[in-house]
Amino acid sequence: METKYSVVFHPSEDGIEFIKKLKLKLFNEIGWYGSCNSVAHITIGGFKANENQLAKYRQKLSKIADTLTPVQIYLDHFDAYEESRAFFISPSEDSKINLKPMMRKIQEALLISSKDRSDDPHISIGRNLTPENIQIAHDLFTTINMDFLCDAIILREFDPVKKQYFILETFPFGSNPQPELIQGSLF
């Protein structure tokens, strides 16, 4: 049987608690909404796998994480995707420059399809919001200045009963970049 999995970066515990309070503030204004109870994260991508396949995904995640070096991420503004009706916290442009190559490396190694991956790093506050609720969120949340050390890949498993993901495993960055293959001459 296949299970749904998600690969993400988590902010610090303080950051997770801070974002939980933002989500509660929005909930108090508009009622229940998509992502209301979701733990703060930056989505890399998702996939389905059985137990045998999962072991291979874990091996790949461990190898990739070993090659990555921790980087400070700065979250500096709120924004919205009008087409997908999502309101989110966005990293600074410099932070995106650091996050995107790591995300691509993970997505390519795990063969995550384009429809199941995120190409724009962000932390969702709410999804499937009406245009009116996006405006309420914009009015509630005008400035943010937050940062965290991105130092691990988080593998999460979907709980179909609770309709939430839970942490299955954390893969800390090892700061061991792989040597580039250098083509040399035999003579």
Side-chain angles (χ1 to χ4, degrees):
M1 185 175 105
E2 287 192 330
T3 303
K4 283 174 55 175
Y5 297 93
S6 170
V7 182
V8 303
F9 297 129
H10 270 187
S12 65
E13 285 302 317
D14 288 347
I16 287 172
E17 282 305 308
F18 176 75
I19 293 166
K20 188 176 186 179
K21 289 176 185 168
L22 295 181
K23 290 181 177 215
L24 181 60
K25 189 173 182 178
L26 184 59
F27 172 80
N28 289 335
E29 288 291 321
I30 67 172
W32 188 91
Y33 58 89
S35 288
C36 180
N37 297 316
S38 175
V39 173
H41 63 277
I42 295 174
T43 300
I44 299 165
F47 59 90
K48 290 182 179 177
N50 63 35
E51 251 184 73
N52 290 337
Q53 294 165 328
L54 182 60
K56 290 179 180 144
Y57 279 104
R58 283 179 149 152
Q59 280 181 331
K60 286 181 181 181
L61 285 169
S62 180
K63 284 181 181 178
I64 295 165
D66 187 54
T67 69
L68 298 176
T69 300
V71 62
Q72 200 70 24
I73 300 301
Y74 297 92
L75 303 161
D76 65 358
H77 64 282
F78 292 99
D79 207 344
Y81 298 127
E82 302 298 333
E83 65 282 354
S84 62
R85 302 177 6 237
F87 183 79
F88 58 89
I89 303 169
S90 186
S92 68
E93 287 306 312
D94 285 344
S95 292
K96 284 185 179 187
I97 288 168
N98 288 323
L99 285 168
K100 285 182 177 184
M102 290 192 295
M103 292 169 66
R104 267 193 304 277
K105 185 175 187 174
I106 296 163
Q107 293 161 347
E108 289 169 5
L110 300 182
L111 303 174
I112 296 174
S113 72
S114 58
K115 69 177 179 60
D116 295 325
R117 65 171 62 178
S118 173
D119 295 321
D120 187 34
H122 64 279
I123 297 177
S124 293
I125 298 294
R127 291 182 296 110
N128 300 319
L129 300 173
T130 65
E132 296 79 21
N133 287 343
I134 288 176
Q135 187 57 53
I136 290 168
H138 271 297
D139 293 344
L140 274 178
F141 310 119
T142 55
T143 61
I144 187 158
N145 184 10
M146 180 180 157
D147 66 288
F148 69 94
L149 185 65
C150 183
D151 61 356
I153 302 169
I154 310 296
L155 175 63
R156 305 180 313 164
E157 182 177 326
F158 187 71
D159 181 332
V161 175
K162 292 183 178 178
K163 306 258 188 260
Q164 291 289 326
Y165 283 94
F166 63 91
I167 295 174
L168 188 61
E169 192 167 350
T170 299
F171 300 90
F173 292 177
S175 301
N176 294 313
Q178 293 175 321
E180 292 294 322
L181 292 175
I182 299 169
Q183 187 169 350
S185 171
L186 293 176
F187 304 100

